[in-house]
Amino acid sequence: MEVFVRNLPEQMSEKQLEDFFGPLLTQLSINSSYCCQKLRGKCAKVTILDSRLAQKFLEIYGTTGPGSQAVHQLRRMGRNIYCSASRNEPDELLLRSLQHERDKRQQRARAEPRNGSVVLPERTIPCSSLACGMWDYSDSDLAFVPHYTDFRQGTITFGKRSLSIRLNPPSMHSPLVRIEIRYSSVQSMTVGSGLNPSLTLTLFEAPRIYEDITQFLALMLPSAFGNLSLNTHRRMFAESRVASISKLHESVVSNCLVYQFSMNKGGLSHVHALKNVREVPACISWPTAVVEPTRPLTLEMADLISKLCQSDDLAFSLKFQMQKLAQNGYLHPRRVIELMPEISHLVDRSGVATALHATRKLFFQIPYAGPETEAEELGLKGLTELLAKSESSSQVELSYLTDSTKQHEHMALVYKATVTPAGTYLYGPDLEAKNRVLRKYSEHVDSFLRVTFADEDMEPIRFDSKASNEKIYHERFKKVLSSAINVAGRGYEFLGFSHSSLRAQTCWFMAPFVQDSELLHARVVIAKLGDFSAIRSPAKCAARIGQAFSETSKTVRLRPETVKTMSDVERSGRVFSDGVGTFSTSILQKLWKEYATSRTLRPTLFQIRYAGAKGMISLDNRLKGNTLLLRPSMIKFTGSDATDIEICGAAHRPLPFVLNRQLIKILEDLGVGDKVFLDLQAEAIEQLRSTTLSAVNAASFLQRNLIGKAAQVSWLIRKLNGLGLSFQADAFLRKTVEMAVLIQLREIKHRSRIPVKMAVTLYGIMDETGYLQEGEIFCVLETEEEGRSVITGNDLVITRSPALHPGDIQLVRGVQVPADSPLNALHNCVVFSQKGERDLPSQLSGGDLDGDLYNIIYDPAFRRISVQKPADYPRVALADVVPRVERHHMSDFFIDFMENDRLGWIATLHQILADERGNGTLHPDCILLAGKHSTAVDFSKTGVPVQLQDCPKYPKARPDFMATGPNVVIESRLEILDDDDGAMDGDGDGGPTRRYYKSDKVLGKLYRAIDERVVFKELQKHSRTMSDKYQSEQSVMERVWSYVEKTTQGIQWKHHLDEARDIQETYNDCLTTTMHQYATHPSHPLTEPEVFTGNIVGKTGAQSKRQREYSVSMKEKFERDVAFTIACILKDPTTGKDSEEALERSIACLAVAMEEKEARSKKVGVLCSFRYVAAAVCLREVERFQGLGRGLWG
């Protein structure tokens, strides 16, 4: 039942509404099955699931008509509040959501043991002051050093996922401040007693800070509301995100990550009472002394910068690391100054490279100051000992870095910075793929800085309907973009960004440098890239310049006369050849020669950048000599002197196809039955279930998903099985397989990423021969394992992602071409016709041929669909045309894009409404959103943000398949924790609350068909059953070592032990670097299994977009590291050729790996994966020794 509420203060927020009505409803036993919604102006509605209890509420607080009086008149802020039965029927989906919540609570109540009446601890506790500072040591005793103190009183609320601290305003002209500290960012929580009753939190990252003006006005100035009129045309936010509490706090907020809250003894008892609340971080009692700082932290930091600038004898690479130690909060600036002479001595003894390597290792070795760390560990002597230890072990590790740079010429060591609302943090340098700019100025790579703008958890700042981010974008971020990032005397200024980096909120800065007697700064570097003077739109100009910042893996030098142009194929205002050119066979030979690959099957089409052109090029074997043909649609600007083809990607093999939620919903609406999807999902889950049943299944799964490829883990599992050993009996191998399965399971459950065997993903190009008719495609696949095939037949489904419009999925006819057709020289692509009134790619989510990937489904179950007319959106006029685009125009657009990019917001709303509306994606609201999504996709090129005023309203409830998943813990074993409430998300104090209803569409059925806890526990149970079956007094790896010893008796290998220890140390060093580099936050490293499997686990459901992207680059780095490690074992260090001592060295490495290990550091712990890399190499060499596997490593 819906209750209509009138005469509320206009500024009253939804949170205040909940706080006002909550106690009244609870008194009537309406505990949680209700929802309060603020409407426009002075009205609201309260939806109550139980209509009988709703009537009871109205009997007490309701009015029946004009002039009638309630039994109990509600008042708020000096005015009467009137409640009555609404004339509207309650929102059906909201009622379903409330029912879903009640069902979930009842399920938990039945599952939980009954312990009589349980008194819930108080979650809101008063505090009398806040201090922000650092841990330090006074006479070896831990002490808190405050660098900012705020004496405002307030409250601390322990929510479901975070603490929320509210500080009362000091005056009626000041806002209320709310500080949000997420539990995931808490490293430790201590309670002080005695003379200093306090709660002290040590954080991994700075907290989020908000100002709440409306809340303060509502509490303090109720009489003012009657005279206020809100501007209903402008979005009103309840809060405003700010960078700091005050100016003084701003100067320390990025470095000082220890927060202490003073409270009374009663407050401490409430904190202790929360110890059994699972989501609240564990708390320890610790007598915390407070020591005032001798000097302001800003002056200490200024001293360090000054000394670094004056140290001409130190290389910039070392200065960068020393500033990073202080700026990122690892060490106090004073301690870094004390360390500088030691690093200078290290340079004198061993050189810059060794000193740099040893200094970088400090970041992984330095423990966090706090109750668990002794003063000596962070003292000058302790740090100097760490440097000395790293110095002695760095020779082999340095050879790896040198070798990597030589082997991977397309990569460079890139310096990085991350700008958050709180501060600027330095990272790197790390190996990254080069772009045109880094190649052009390869001797000055350290003059370029890759800068990412992110939230404190390193994820992008997201749109928040309740809090404005305007001050973060236009004050904090804009200040950085319009000034410089100073590192040891160098000032890095904004340079530009690529199209992909714009979406990742990443750009390039550069510091001026001299090359060929010319001083180069940002404006000069841009001018040398090409002629952009004719481009008047900042967005378009930035996109064109951004081509030079696209990462490319290889370059092939061409003579300028080789490159020619040919006309585009156009008809009816459509460009059928948009973004695609051709090349001759002799050019292909050049590409193959430079683009070396171990594959015998080599690509015949490439995605490239050349001078001012971009797009795809494909083989046309009719062309003679050295010929590259580009089209006008590929050429985006002129004036470039670059003469290299830069390769972005190539069609090495057909890519697998997996469904996603957008495609599933459209296909459902076009007539594909639920059973098709449920059967495909059931098949995928059954395949996952079978993974742990046998070594063959596990090895095949790892091989198919390219997990542990360089380390040959799948081969190792098969080999162990051949020796009568079970991988399930080995904890590390078992966890590796389980983690790989868990990632796949969560992708299916939380993203509906369901594989389809009879489908494929391919690059698209145009038929240059003119053979294909309208509606026809030539789809050719070829692999080394399965050979060549052509997909033919009527009613093949073709689409591309992202697909939101029902017309984004079409049916085509796959045909074979004549035997003498030039198209037969191609493989692993889909060729589109150049005939008809409209090109097919543009009908598929506005696709083109400059590198887009297309999905072709030839499974008969999908062919009987009701095809809809494709969308045809008008071209959007470019925004903000200026006489001449300057650098500040592009940096302003960068800010504009970060602030107004609503792509994800629109896609999410579309998914909700497509489930809610009866005809799904065919509903006018979804059609409207599909058009807005198209505008949002083009925003990065047009500069035109999408207008949201006419968007459908965001529903209060979402379908259940969009709920966050339960947490995953990776410790001694993998575990999926029970979730508190699968029906509701939110913290209940400032954070957004999301309700979920039980979806009756296919996505809801797919979601509920998988109980990930049950599936995963069954997998683990089977693994452990098999482990128990193979129990032995010796571990699996001990039995492997016994086998190797027995098989290689008489072989002398112990003289390689020192070298083996160096190889192991290099491997572990690379592994540790990766664990920190790709972590959600660098101070909170990944686990070893995550790196080993190449997958960052999404702790609450599927991986985030950033985690997926990081997983890809992390896997590439780890594969390179493992390949180098294996080369160190197998190759002769002087000649680089196969070593005659490979077997002996591999035995020594396995022997070293079997030794007991100490924890590498408190953050990382004991590392063990080298044991399995060494075992795989050694067992293969033993096979070679026995004459069973000649050429296995070829």
Side-chain angles (χ1 to χ4, degrees):
M1 182 176 179
E2 189 173 280
V3 175
F4 185 66
V5 184
R6 295 179 291 113
N7 205 37
L8 293 167
E10 285 189 75
Q11 283 83 357
M12 193 173 189
S13 68
E14 207 158 272
K15 174 67 172 58
Q16 291 171 289
L17 196 67
E18 293 266 4
D19 291 343
F20 178 67
F21 279 101
L24 303 176
L25 295 167
T26 301
Q27 289 175 7
L28 299 173
S29 300
I30 309 173
N31 295 318
S32 299
S33 301
Y34 67 89
C35 175
C36 299
Q37 290 176 275
K38 185 75 164 60
L39 305 176
R40 287 183 179 272
K42 304 176 182 179
C43 301
K45 63 180 180 181
V46 179
T47 305
I48 301 172
L49 180 61
D50 191 321
S51 56
R52 180 181 56 82
L53 292 175
Q55 288 289 357
K56 188 175 180 181
F57 173 84
L58 287 174
E59 288 172 7
I60 300 172
Y61 303 108
T63 57
T64 56
S68 64
Q69 289 289 323
V71 174
H72 183 89
Q73 181 62 58
L74 296 176
R75 290 182 62 80
R76 177 71 170 171
M77 303 174 190
R79 59 170 71 197
N80 290 337
I81 308 298
Y82 302 106
C83 301
S84 59
S86 174
R87 291 177 293 184
N88 301 321
E89 289 296 318
D91 185 333
E92 180 188 348
L93 287 177
L94 185 54
L95 289 178
R96 285 168 59 186
S97 169
L98 295 172
Q99 181 67 50
H100 185 52
E101 291 170 22
R102 186 165 70 180
D103 292 346
K104 284 280 187 178
R105 285 193 299 274
Q106 290 173 349
Q107 286 174 13
R108 286 199 310 278
R110 288 193 296 268
E112 292 172 356
R114 300 184 179 229
N115 298 320
S117 58
V118 178
V119 179
L120 297 176
E122 177 61 50
R123 283 180 173 252
T124 298
I125 303 165
C127 64
S128 55
S129 68
L130 168 154
C132 167
M134 310 171 84
W135 288 118
D136 205 341
Y137 296 87
S138 175
D139 296 329
S140 299
D141 293 326
L142 184 67
F144 173 65
V145 182
H147 287 277
Y148 169 79
T149 304
D150 195 311
F151 292 101
R152 282 181 278 182
Q153 294 186 341
T155 59
I156 304 173
T157 299
F158 290 82
K160 183 178 178 182
R161 293 185 173 89
S162 64
L163 286 114
S164 185
I165 300 96
R166 293 178 178 271
L167 300 180
N168 297 329
S171 70
M172 63 191 316
H173 303 292
S174 302
L176 182 148
V177 171
R178 184 173 71 86
I179 303 168
E180 180 184 290
I181 298 177
R182 299 188 177 184
Y183 295 144
S184 58
S185 71
V186 177
Q187 183 216 337
S188 66
M189 189 164 80
T190 61
V191 173
S193 56
L195 299 176
N196 183 27
S198 60
L199 174 67
T200 306
L201 301 169
T202 306
L203 310 180
F204 290 119
E205 64 194 44
R208 292 159 173 79
I209 303 170
Y210 302 86
E211 290 180 347
D212 186 345
I213 300 175
T214 58
Q215 175 113 345
F216 167 67
L217 290 174
L219 291 170
M220 305 298 293
L221 298 173
S223 60
F225 283 143
N227 301 320
L228 290 176
S229 176
L230 293 181
N231 178 2
T232 57
H233 298 288
R234 181 171 176 174
R235 175 180 287 276
M236 293 296 295
F237 292 96
E239 297 179 314
S240 175
R241 179 85 180 268
V242 292
S244 58
I245 300 172
S246 66
K247 273 290 180 187
L248 181 57
H249 185 238
E250 182 182 353
S251 64
V252 300
V253 64
S254 64
N255 305 87
C256 296
L257 297 180
V258 183
Y259 281 77
Q260 187 171 92
F261 304 94
S262 298
M263 54 184 65
N264 57 35
K265 291 184 179 180
L268 290 185
S269 63
H270 287 309
V271 175
H272 283 296
L274 290 166
K275 66 181 180 181
N276 294 323
V277 178
R278 191 181 64 193
E279 63 265 22
V280 176
C283 185
I284 62 172
S285 296
W286 194 270
T288 309
V290 178
V291 177
E292 291 300 319
T294 54
R295 293 181 71 208
L297 186 62
T298 49
L299 294 181
E300 301 271 22
M301 193 69 192
D303 284 351
L304 172 61
I305 301 296
S306 175
K307 289 187 180 297
L308 290 174
C309 293
Q310 295 167 14
S311 300
D312 297 331
D313 57 325
L314 280 178
F316 172 77
S317 56
L318 278 168
K319 294 180 182 180
F320 184 93
Q321 300 304 323
M322 284 186 273
Q323 182 167 330
K324 183 166 74 168
L325 280 169
Q327 193 156 312
N328 291 19
Y330 286 88
L331 292 174
H332 193 283
R334 184 175 61 255
R335 181 70 76 225
V336 179
I337 292 173
E338 294 171 353
L339 204 57
M340 284 177 65
E342 299 298 329
I343 293 174
S344 294
H345 295 327
L346 202 162
V347 172
D348 294 339
R349 289 193 307 270
S350 303
V352 172
T354 299
L356 176 61
H357 187 69
T359 306
R360 288 201 69 180
K361 288 183 75 171
L362 279 180
F363 292 93
F364 316 140
Q365 298 168 328
I366 296 173
Y368 294 108
E372 297 179 354
T373 302
E374 298 296 330
E376 294 78 15
E377 296 179 74
L378 290 171
L380 181 60
K381 182 181 177 182
L383 296 172
T384 304
E385 289 174 353
L386 287 175
L387 285 172
K389 184 179 178 182
S390 298
E391 178 184 10
S392 63
S393 65
S394 54
Q395 185 175 353
V396 175
E397 297 164 28
L398 281 172
S399 70
Y400 166 65
L401 292 174
T402 305
D403 185 77
S404 287
T405 308
K406 289 179 180 177
Q407 277 193 6
H408 306 283
E409 294 180 354
H410 67 288
M411 307 194 80
L413 284 168
V414 174
Y415 289 81
K416 302 175 184 177
T418 298
V419 180
T420 73
T424 300
Y425 305 94
L426 304 177
Y427 301 108
D430 300 312
L431 277 175
E432 299 269 343
K434 288 181 180 176
N435 55 47
R436 188 178 301 175
V437 174
L438 295 185
R439 285 193 180 92
K440 190 179 180 73
Y441 304 107
S442 57
E443 298 299 317
H444 301 278
V445 170
D446 62 2
S447 291
F448 296 90
L449 189 69
R450 186 169 182 164
V451 181
T452 300
F453 291 80
D455 213 331
E456 305 306 334
D457 59 0
M458 304 296 152
E459 292 283 350
I461 291 183
R462 298 195 184 346
F463 172 72
D464 186 342
S465 61
K466 294 189 176 183
S468 167
N469 290 314
E470 186 175 356
K471 288 187 176 181
I472 300 300
Y473 290 125
H474 292 280
E475 293 179 13
R476 167 71 183 137
F477 287 177
K478 189 166 186 175
K479 182 180 178 181
V480 174
L481 283 161
S482 59
S483 55
I485 296 175
N486 293 300
V487 183
R490 287 190 185 181
Y492 290 87
E493 297 181 336
F494 173 77
L495 178 63
F497 48 84
S498 68
H499 180 259
S500 58
S501 73
L502 174 63
R503 292 212 173 274
Q505 300 186 359
T506 298
C507 58
W508 287 93
F509 278 44
M510 71 163 286
F513 60 89
V514 176
Q515 179 167 294
D516 298 331
S517 303
E518 182 183 9
L519 177 64
L520 299 179
H521 49 77
R523 189 175 289 105
V524 176
V525 168
I526 295 296
K528 288 179 177 290
L529 293 176
D531 182 9
F532 307 100
S533 59
I535 304 175
R536 299 283 185 262
S537 164
K540 185 176 180 180
C541 187
R544 299 299 172 243
I545 293 172
Q547 287 177 217
F549 295 103
S550 296
E551 295 180 356
T552 49
S553 57
K554 286 288 182 181
T555 61
V556 179
R557 180 65 51 87
L558 293 181
R559 292 179 176 274
E561 60 270 19
T562 301
V563 184
K564 301 178 178 64
T565 59
M566 62 177 171
S567 59
D568 273 303
V569 177
E570 300 183 67
R571 188 179 305 108
S572 305
R574 309 280 185 182
V575 181
F576 286 66
S577 56
D578 189 5
V580 65
T582 61
F583 57 85
S584 63
T585 304
S586 61
I587 292 290
L588 179 63
Q589 298 294 335
K590 290 178 181 292
L591 294 173
W592 280 352
K593 182 179 179 181
E594 296 297 327
Y595 196 53
T597 173
S598 59
R599 301 177 179 92
T600 56
L601 181 65
R602 297 184 174 182
T604 54
L605 59 154
F606 299 83
Q607 186 181 21
I608 64 150
R609 302 287 185 268
Y610 177 81
K614 64 186 285 283
M616 292 295 297
I617 55 172
S618 63
L619 172 64
D620 185 343
N621 58 15
R622 299 171 299 180
L623 297 175
K624 305 300 181 184
N626 290 325
T627 306
L628 171 63
L629 296 180
L630 303 178
R631 288 189 163 97
S633 61
M634 302 175 70
I635 301 170
K636 306 302 182 182
F637 63 88
T638 60
S640 172
D641 59 0
T643 57
D644 292 346
I645 291 182
E646 300 168 309
I647 300 174
C648 304
H652 289 290
R653 67 182 190 279
L655 301 174
F657 169 71
V658 292
L659 291 164
N660 58 47
R661 285 178 173 172
Q662 293 168 335
L663 287 174
I664 289 172
K665 189 69 196 78
I666 296 175
L667 287 166
E668 177 191 26
D669 297 335
L670 297 183
V672 178
D674 294 358
K675 188 175 184 299
V676 173
F677 302 109
L678 289 165
D679 287 349
L680 283 171
Q681 178 173 276
E683 182 183 353
I685 295 300
E686 189 55 38
Q687 194 169 43
L688 289 179
R689 288 178 190 271
S690 69
T691 300
T692 57
L693 293 179
S694 70
V696 173
N697 289 355
S700 299
F701 176 79
L702 296 178
Q703 189 171 359
R704 189 167 56 249
N705 290 282
L706 304 177
I707 294 170
K709 183 180 178 183
Q712 297 290 305
V713 180
S714 60
W715 181 89
L716 177 62
I717 288 175
R718 287 191 176 99
K719 179 64 180 177
L720 293 176
N721 187 56
L723 295 174
L725 302 174
S726 169
F727 79 92
Q728 294 105 325
D730 183 273
F732 184 81
L733 288 176
R734 186 173 65 239
K735 185 185 284 189
T736 296
V737 175
E738 287 177 357
M739 182 171 289
V741 170
L742 176 63
I743 292 289
Q744 294 286 321
L745 176 63
R746 302 204 111 194
E747 285 289 290
I748 296 172
K749 166 80 173 180
H750 297 284
R751 295 181 67 213
S752 302
R753 301 275 293 175
I754 304 171
V756 181
K757 292 180 180 178
M758 299 180 69
V760 69
T761 301
L762 299 165
Y763 281 115
I765 58 173
M766 188 192 74
D767 172 20
E768 300 288 345
T769 70
Y771 175 81
L772 298 176
Q773 302 302 306
E774 182 178 9
E776 291 183 341
I777 62 168
F778 175 60
C779 186
V780 57
L781 317 178
E782 190 168 355
T783 64
E784 295 176 45
E785 299 80 15
E786 299 180 9
R788 184 180 177 87
S789 63
V790 177
I791 299 174
T792 59
N794 295 324
D795 296 337
L796 303 180
V797 174
I798 189 164
T799 185
R800 64 179 287 271
S801 292
L804 277 78
H805 191 281
D808 289 338
I809 298 177
Q810 295 291 310
L811 293 177
V812 293
R813 187 161 73 96
V815 301
Q816 181 61 274
V817 296
D820 60 349
S821 172
L823 298 182
N824 281 315
L826 303 172
H827 51 248
N828 297 328
C829 61
V830 55
V831 184
F832 294 98
S833 171
Q834 58 171 274
K835 298 178 181 179
E837 288 301 306
R838 182 179 176 186
D839 61 300
L840 182 56
S842 71
Q843 301 176 48
L844 308 174
S845 305
D848 56 31
L849 302 176
D850 71 352
D852 286 356
L853 291 168
Y854 295 86
N855 312 122
I856 300 91
I857 307 174
Y858 49 98
D859 188 326
F862 290 89
R863 294 186 179 185
R864 293 183 294 275
I865 62 173
S866 175
V867 177
Q868 300 296 308
K869 184 179 179 181
D872 190 6
Y873 304 118
R875 188 177 296 274
V876 178
L878 298 177
D880 300 327
V881 175
V882 295
R884 180 181 177 86
V885 178
E886 301 289 351
R887 196 161 53 97
H888 71 86
H889 290 125
M890 290 185 287
S891 64
D892 286 348
F893 172 65
F894 190 82
I895 290 285
D896 186 33
F897 185 84
M898 283 195 290
E899 184 176 24
N900 294 302
D901 179 22
R902 296 288 181 271
L903 197 62
W905 187 91
I906 294 168
T908 301
L909 178 57
H910 180 275
Q911 191 169 98
I912 297 170
L913 295 184
D915 187 84
E916 177 186 320
R917 305 295 195 252
N919 50 350
T921 56
L922 299 169
H923 191 278
D925 284 348
C926 291
I927 298 294
L928 173 69
L929 288 171
K932 292 194 176 293
H933 190 270
S934 176
T935 302
V937 167
D938 292 337
F939 178 26
S940 59
K941 300 173 185 175
T942 64
V944 179
V946 66
Q947 299 300 311
L948 302 179
Q949 289 88 337
D950 58 340
C951 277
K953 188 177 179 182
Y954 234 95
K956 186 71 177 177
R958 298 180 174 200
D960 55 352
F961 59 79
M962 297 181 73
T964 56
N967 291 337
V968 170
V969 175
I970 309 171
E971 291 177 351
S972 58
R973 59 171 288 179
L974 277 171
E975 185 179 3
I976 302 177
L977 300 178
D978 290 332
D979 196 17
D980 282 343
D981 195 345
M984 203 167 172
D985 284 341
D987 234 328
D989 189 64
T993 298
R994 293 173 181 161
R995 286 188 147 88
Y996 299 95
Y997 63 86
K998 186 176 178 180
S999 168
D1000 56 9
K1001 305 292 176 60
V1002 70
L1003 286 172
K1005 295 174 184 177
L1006 289 168
Y1007 177 78
R1008 293 188 297 276
I1010 301 174
D1011 187 326
E1012 60 189 304
R1013 295 186 202 86
V1014 171
V1015 173
F1016 195 63
K1017 284 180 179 178
E1018 286 176 0
L1019 287 167
Q1020 290 185 315
K1021 181 180 179 181
H1022 186 271
S1023 287
R1024 281 154 182 75
T1025 301
M1026 296 298 292
S1027 174
D1028 294 341
K1029 180 180 177 182
Y1030 287 92
Q1031 277 297 330
S1032 168
E1033 291 183 3
Q1034 284 186 308
S1035 70
V1036 170
M1037 296 309 293
E1038 285 172 341
R1039 294 170 71 184
V1040 167
W1041 175 242
S1042 298
Y1043 166 79
V1044 170
E1045 279 190 308
K1046 180 179 178 181
T1047 309
T1048 61
Q1049 283 182 0
I1051 293 179
Q1052 303 300 311
W1053 52 266
K1054 293 188 177 181
H1055 58 290
H1056 287 292
L1057 281 172
D1058 288 342
E1059 185 182 0
R1061 290 190 178 93
D1062 287 340
I1063 292 172
Q1064 179 181 244
E1065 181 62 24
T1066 301
Y1067 172 88
N1068 285 340
D1069 185 62
C1070 292
L1071 176 60
T1072 304
T1073 300
T1074 305
M1075 291 167 69
H1076 287 80
Q1077 181 180 339
Y1078 293 97
T1080 302
H1081 196 280
S1083 58
H1084 200 179
L1086 297 173
T1087 63
E1088 185 178 17
E1090 285 178 290
V1091 176
F1092 196 75
T1093 59
N1095 279 295
I1096 301 169
V1097 175
K1099 301 300 189 293
T1100 55
Q1103 297 167 311
S1104 68
K1105 182 181 178 182
R1106 177 181 173 276
Q1107 286 175 328
R1108 290 194 297 273
E1109 292 171 349
Y1110 266 36
S1111 291
V1112 171
S1113 55
M1114 178 185 74
K1115 179 183 280 190
E1116 290 173 353
K1117 179 185 182 302
F1118 184 65
E1119 291 286 298
R1120 291 195 303 270
D1121 295 342
V1122 173
F1124 172 79
T1125 302
I1126 292 173
C1128 287
I1129 301 172
L1130 298 177
K1131 303 292 184 183
D1132 188 296
T1134 56
T1135 65
K1137 297 180 180 179
D1138 290 344
S1139 173
E1140 294 181 359
E1141 293 279 304
L1143 174 60
E1144 291 83 349
R1145 201 179 291 113
S1146 70
I1147 297 172
C1149 284
L1150 183 56
V1152 167
M1154 294 302 297
E1155 296 172 355
E1156 288 294 324
K1157 302 295 184 297
E1158 295 180 358
R1160 195 163 180 84
S1161 71
K1162 288 185 178 179
K1163 300 178 193 176
V1164 171
V1166 177
L1167 299 178
C1168 67
S1169 58
F1170 178 73
R1171 181 176 298 174
Y1172 302 88
V1173 175
V1177 177
C1178 187
L1179 288 172
R1180 283 212 157 185
E1181 287 304 305
V1182 169
E1183 282 196 359
R1184 287 168 59 88
F1185 172 69
Q1186 295 173 320
L1188 300 177
R1190 297 291 177 189
L1192 283 168
W1193 293 98

